[in-house]
Amino acid sequence: MPDEATTTSGTDIVPDRSLPAGAADIQIAAPGPEDAAEIHALIAACPPLDTNSLYANLIQCTHFADSCAVARMGGKVVGWISGHRPPEKDDTYFLWQVAVHPDARGKSLPKRMLGNILARQAQGGISWLETSITRTNDASWGLFRSVSGWLSAPLREEPWFDRQTHFGGQHDTEFLVTIGPFEAPAASG
Ligand SMILES: CC(C)(COP(=O)(O)OP(=O)(O)OC[C@H]1O[C@@H](n2cnc3c(N)ncnc32)[C@H](O)[C@@H]1OP(=O)(O)O)[C@@H](O)C(=O)NCCC(=O)NCCS
């Protein structure tokens, strides 16, 4: 983990001095079930993300709360990361979805939320990040190339869930993106 990722304020590992204006007023935390309805609405407002059922978001906010993060600005949910450790890959964090409301973009929120998650005691031992991206999602490629630089770790990609084989022709091919190995930030509780 590079210097800029050092823990400075509780669980936020991107130092305040490097944040754009207004970004320090955003609170990041593990979600609770009371956040799920707002998270569901945020995802719906962030195409091209697939929406899941609200029930699935409720499960993420309860069973998987330790590996998810929600960001609030002025009390309103503006950011979300869902993820988990894939079974039998104890050193890997799989980031499922990241969403930032258009009003809160450009404030390093994805890296701040990811840093918040990786710094948690429950995520100890993580040195690889996986996610999947469709070829045309420029914002996502831009984001994860930036994360690769931030973590000082190379990014690799390979076709994963195929349009025909896995999606029955109804969804673009998802490329598995792997970033690592990296040194996880110190656990902060
Ligand atoms: C992807 C998303 C989370 C990025 O949030 P954001 O607040 O704009 O991210 P940041 O401002 O912290 O930018 C992080 C990096 O991504 C790059 N980026 C952001 N939007 C981009 C775009 N549309 N095209 C290319 N690169 C982009 C930035 O240039 C930055 O790179 P840098 O650090 O080298 O300057 C946001 O655009 C979003 O919610 N999109 C809709 C949902 C989605 O596609 N999620 C990803 C798939 S799971």
Side-chain angles (χ1 to χ4, degrees):
M1 185 66 62
D3 290 342
E4 68 168 9
T6 306
T7 301
T8 55
S9 55
T11 55
D12 195 340
I13 65 163
V14 178
D16 286 355
R17 67 180 179 282
S18 68
L19 297 177
D25 297 332
I26 297 175
Q27 287 81 44
I28 299 171
E34 61 285 354
D35 297 316
E38 276 188 87
I39 289 164
H40 189 74
L42 172 68
I43 293 168
C46 289
L49 288 184
D50 293 331
T51 51
N52 297 296
S53 68
L54 176 52
Y55 188 85
N57 296 132
L58 277 161
I59 294 294
Q60 289 172 325
C61 290
T62 49
H63 294 175
F64 297 96
D66 273 347
S67 53
C68 298
V70 63
R72 286 185 180 273
M73 183 169 71
K76 183 180 130 191
V77 168
V78 292
W80 167 245
I81 285 183
S82 56
H84 57 268
R85 286 192 213 221
E88 299 172 18
K89 279 191 179 175
D90 211 35
D91 59 355
T92 301
Y93 177 74
F94 178 78
L95 190 156
W96 182 353
Q97 285 188 318
V98 50
V100 173
H101 190 278
D103 291 349
R105 289 185 189 163
K107 300 179 190 299
S108 302
L109 253 191
K111 282 181 230 163
R112 290 179 66 196
M113 292 190 288
L114 179 60
N116 183 290
I117 292 168
L118 294 177
R120 294 176 193 162
Q121 227 155 41
Q123 303 307 325
I126 299 282
S127 52
W128 295 88
L129 173 71
E130 288 182 350
T131 193
S132 80
I133 313 179
T134 55
R135 183 52 75 208
T136 54
N137 190 338
D138 291 340
S140 208
W141 285 107
L143 169 60
F144 285 100
R145 286 194 184 108
S146 175
V147 167
S148 162
W150 174 58
L151 293 172
S152 302
L155 178 154
R156 283 174 299 286
E157 58 162 270
E158 58 191 297
W160 193 29
F161 293 139
D162 178 74
R163 180 178 183 85
Q164 296 307 333
T165 310
H166 304 111
F167 286 118
Q170 297 182 41
H171 187 290
D172 288 341
T173 296
E174 292 274 352
F175 288 79
L176 179 66
V177 169
T178 306
I179 297 172
F182 55 84
E183 191 181 328
S188 58

